[in-house]
């Protein structure tokens, strides 16, 4: 593996997805699998053995978040504090803004698989390749959707070699950046927080830091991280989003 080039790799990934393919992508939080159309999303669900009742996550930056999520100013400040001021990854569940120009590009199947009860899960600030992909996604007006690059209930994967064969074999492109930044023995990925209720949908990486930020700056009290065995179980239980 040579010098990493996130911008060039993002273009290769995006082109492969726009041609109808599935992509296995290294993010800071874990390897993930993405697509941009109904055929690719069906392929992902089949390869993972994932229930179609479980929605995808969508890659986002601040511009996408501001357009797609219909949330109050406090929620926007929370997201910016965590992802910009403290530079941490975060998945956020928020009310989907109906009629926005960005998700208007989704066909009915992809829309149904990427929303739940009027909300959408957005993954924010998950590393250099995530940053380059979300810039392309925003510029081209094409949402990028997916979930962890693992079979259902298989736990997050932090090396490409550890991604199970059915998922790798389904991909038109796999990009290898070695070990993910936030690799951990619990096999947990990003923390997921609901911006409407501040419920924790998934206890994930950087959770204690995120909890501290919300308590100190916003007086929002989140529960402590569960004990090791319990958080592992929660990570494998496939949250409502992501």
């Amino acid at each position: 593996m040579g010098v990493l080039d996130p911008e060039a790799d993002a273009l290769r990934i995006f082109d492969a997805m726009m041609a109808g393919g599935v992509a296995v992508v290294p993010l800071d939080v874990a390897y993930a699998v993405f697509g941009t159309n109904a055929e690719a999303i069906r392929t992902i669900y089949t390869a993972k053995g994932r229930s179609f009742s479980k929605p995808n996550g969508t890659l986002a930056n601040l511009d996408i978040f501001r357009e797609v999520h219909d949330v109050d100013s406090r929620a926007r400040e929370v997201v910016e504090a965590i992802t910009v001021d403290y530079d941490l990854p975060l998945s956020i569940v928020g009310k989907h803004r109906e009629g926005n120009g960005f998700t208007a590009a989704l066909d009915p199947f992809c829309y149904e698989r990427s929303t739940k009860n009027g909300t959408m899960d957005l993954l924010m600030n998950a590393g250099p390749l995530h940053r380059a992909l979300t810039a392309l996604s925003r510029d081209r007006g094409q949402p990028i959707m997916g979930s962890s690059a693992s079979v259902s209930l298989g736990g997050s994967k932090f090396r490409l070699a550890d991604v199970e064969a059915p998922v790798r074999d389904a991909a038109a492109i796999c990009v290898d950046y070695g070990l993910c930044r936030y690799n951990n023995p619990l096999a947990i990925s990003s923390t997921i927080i609901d911006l409407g209720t501040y419920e924790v949908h998934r206890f994930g990486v950087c959770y204690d830091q995120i909890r501290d930020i919300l308590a100190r700056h916003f007086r929002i009290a989140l529960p402590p991280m569960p004990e090791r065995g319990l958080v592992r179980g929660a990570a494998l239980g496939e949250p409502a989003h992501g």
Side-chain angles (χ1 to χ4, degrees), residues 16-195:
M17 290 189 297
M18 291 303 292
V22 168
V24 172
V25 177
L27 304 177
D28 278 4
V29 293
Y31 278 78
V33 59
F34 294 115
T36 59
N37 57 75
E39 180 182 358
I41 298 304
R42 288 190 181 94
T43 298
I44 290 170
Y45 274 87
T46 300
K48 287 170 58 74
R50 181 176 172 88
S51 168
F52 280 93
S53 67
K54 301 290 185 181
N56 295 301
T58 300
L59 294 186
N61 54 24
L62 282 176
D63 288 336
I64 294 171
F65 159 59
R66 290 165 181 154
E67 181 169 358
V68 168
H69 271 183
D70 184 10
V71 296
D72 61 23
S73 59
R74 186 193 195 202
R76 294 176 186 275
E77 290 172 5
V78 164
V79 172
E80 291 186 24
I82 294 169
T83 64
V84 178
D85 299 340
Y86 285 88
D87 193 25
L88 299 176
L90 177 68
S91 286
I92 47 177
V93 174
K95 181 181 178 183
H96 176 253
R97 188 190 306 278
E98 294 294 338
N100 76 82
F102 184 71
T103 58
L106 294 174
D107 63 48
F109 177 81
C110 289
Y111 178 82
E112 183 180 359
R113 296 279 64 76
S114 300
T115 57
K116 184 171 184 176
N117 298 327
T119 67
M120 178 173 277
D121 181 328
L122 304 178
L123 173 61
M124 307 283 293
N125 197 40
L129 188 51
H130 175 278
R131 189 175 306 114
L133 279 170
T134 55
L136 280 172
S137 176
R138 174 65 174 172
D139 290 345
R140 307 286 178 87
Q142 175 59 63
I144 298 172
M145 302 148 288
S147 57
S148 62
S150 62
V151 298
S152 185
L153 304 182
S156 296
K157 299 298 185 286
F158 304 114
R159 294 182 177 87
L160 179 61
D162 294 332
V163 175
E164 294 94 342
V167 178
R168 282 187 282 111
D169 292 347
I173 182 171
C174 295
V175 177
D176 187 355
Y177 274 21
L179 186 64
C180 295
R181 178 179 180 182
Y182 293 110
N183 68 90
N184 60 84
L186 296 177
I188 54 177
S189 184
S190 58
T191 292
I192 305 178
I193 293 178
D194 191 309
L195 295 179

